[in-house]
Amino acid sequence: VTPRAFVSVAAVLLGAAAVPVRAGEIAVEGQVGYFDMAASNSASAVFGSTGGVTYGGAVRYSFARAFFVSAGVRTFSKDGERVFVATPTSVVSKLGFPLSVRITPIFLNVGYRFRQGKMLVPYVGIGGSINQYKETSEVAGQGFSETSSKGGFLGLAGLEVGRGLLRFGAEASYATVPNAVGLGGVSKVYGENNLGGFTVVGKLALAFGGK
Amino acid sequence: MRIRSVVSLLVALLAASAASLPAFEPDVVKAVRRTAAAVPPGAFREGEVIVSFRAAAEPRDVERDLRSGGAREVHRSRAGSRYLVLLDPGTTVAAAVQRFAAMPEVEYAEPNGLVHRSAGTTFTPNDRYYKYQWNLTQLNAERTWGIQKGKTTVAVAVLDSGVAYEDYTDPRTGAVYAKAPDWGDTVFLPGYDFVNDDAHPNDDEFHGTHVASTVAEATNNALGVAGFAFGCAIMPVKVLDQDGVGSFFALAEGIDYAIGYQQGGVSPVKVINLSLGTESYSETVKQAVDRAVAKGVLVVAAAGNSGKGVVDFPASLPTVVAVGALDERKERAFYSNTGADLDLMAPGGNCDRDDDNDGEPDCVFQQMPDPDFVAQGIYTQFCYCGLDGTSMATPHVAAAAALLFSQGFADPAAVRAALEQTAERLGGAPAGGRNDTYGNGLIRPANALPGLGLDQGPVQ
């Protein structure tokens, strides 16, 4: 997914949302949860674990009673150290040089909300994302930095609780961001190129309009 | 085999009163040329064979076999079932090997072959210090030291002619040895002399001290020259005699000693430097190397100085890192062996050239016993001398490996892979590839030490 394609899809979706059959609902969401990286071997080597806390926010617009589009951003950052791995099966050598990674997906989703207007509203969706990747490290006074931006796809499912202004919810999603890593470093050794992963977040939303 | 040496900055240690007087006299520059002892291919110790018995062999069968095989005297290896058999007069080595090999309890029998140092044949004076260590510049040493200087918990075992590491008088021979002047705070682990069978592996030649100094000569002490992994420890193990020749049995014993040594339950020896080789094969040495590798020790050996298209043994073993020599131009030194078993290159020098135009030949300069005095049986006079050869290239790789171990590299496979992956390809070798002339290329430890990021590749 190129940035241009992503913007085109976003424009189409927003255009569709702009002509609702009935007045829509807008919700502003805050999200916090856990992100588990698909590149698990690489993450384990560098961070000692495969994931960590992620947080972000989104704006959702529901239209035609049950459909919605949402756009948002999350961020995930984790500190580790530079390592050396000779082969996928060999021991990980931890070298002690600090390393930080930040992954920032900007996503646009479209989905369907079941039982809209009820107390419990399950929903599903699919979407696309642009994923900013930044890796920095320092070795004896010399800094190393690498940034990239890659597109990806995701699928999600969630449950929202509440009918008034304040809503709570939980959402699980899986994103795939192919060919985002794996050109160097331990991700190359392990043959892992997917920067996506599994995310579960809790949500607090303020909803306006609708009915 | 080749030794090219340069005597430089002759360090005249004042013998009896040295302790209370400045250690140096004004520079005396002299050139000395001498020919190294040559060991023809396949040479072995007359009257000696190595016999290894199967683990299941009963002691009485072993004793019977040794006697019937023609043993006059036997020396049991520290490793267990391996024996150095001194034969009865009149029993030839070939006949004894054949006789032992036919015995069902015997795993193998072979002649006690000879290895020899892999240095040059002449040496030229030099009275200058670090700025003349083009070899360290070629390795980007200053950046390397900015990352890692080495830790005393990591030791390089130097299996060679010994090391001038202590003041000692041999009660048997009366020979007086002195500690070389530029060791500073360098840590020495207890070593062993497998030539004279004692616990004082002093250097009665010069080769081993030069090699050890490349690894860990005191640095940043305003004296002499620098060592590449000067924060690491040295274990001196003498397996070569005063002519630079040693036997397979002694070499295997030395390897087993180095890997068996423990300090507080930990084995500090992470690297074994073998600046020696031969054109013959030895199962005894091969098995000792296998044990070293199995214990997590990286074995580094000289490719040899014949200029041939095949690497010497034991460097030719796949488990051993075979090191060839470059000159100051990063071109293969003319004497450096090539071949499919060649792994890495490091500065070994060429004392016939002065490509950096510093007025000194492009040898590798380190401290060592002054060969002029050694020839007279005096081991208390030292010089900063230049040698060239794959013997000199090898300790650069051993030192680089020790630095990687000091940084946290977990095992020899990782160290080897990091050195090979980050090596500077030479001779038209493609990125990530090799050729038979330069192997994987020139080691770049400053690039290997940082390791890998999640997506950041080897530093180039």
Side-chain angles (χ1 to χ4, degrees), chain B residues 343-366:
Chain B
D343 296 309
L344 290 166
M345 303 298 281
N350 184 343
C351 295
D352 294 334
R353 304 183 65 95
D354 178 20
D355 291 306
D356 56 2
N357 296 310
D358 62 359
E360 298 294 335
D362 295 336
C363 308
V364 174
F365 291 98
Q366 302 290 165

Side-chain angles (χ1 to χ4, degrees), chain A residues 46-47 82-84 86 91 93-95 97 99 133 135 137 139-140 142 144-146 181-187, chain B residues 143 146-147 404 407-411 413-415 417-419 421 448-459:
Chain A
V46 173
F47 305 126
R82 294 181 70 95
V83 299
F84 186 80
V91 178
S93 301
K94 295 187 173 296
L95 305 182
F97 304 116
L99 176 149
Y133 176 77
E135 179 179 337
S137 59
V139 177
Q142 183 180 2
F144 300 93
S145 180
E146 180 178 326
V181 292
L183 296 177
V186 292
S187 56
Chain B
R143 173 59 188 157
I147 302 171
L404 266 60
Q407 188 61 52
F409 279 74
D411 60 18
V415 169
L419 289 174
Q421 288 175 13
L449 279 164
L452 306 171
L454 195 147
D455 197 41
Q456 290 173 347
V459 177

Side-chain angles (χ1 to χ4, degrees), chain B residues 201-241:
Chain B
N202 289 288
D203 192 356
D204 54 6
E205 204 215 15
F206 52 81
H207 189 264
T209 301
H210 191 284
V211 168
S213 295
T214 297
V215 176
E217 185 162 342
T219 300
N220 199 31
N221 62 345
L223 183 65
V225 293
F228 195 31
F230 57 87
C232 292
I234 295 287
M235 173 185 277
V237 181
K238 183 171 174 62
V239 298
L240 302 179
D241 63 18

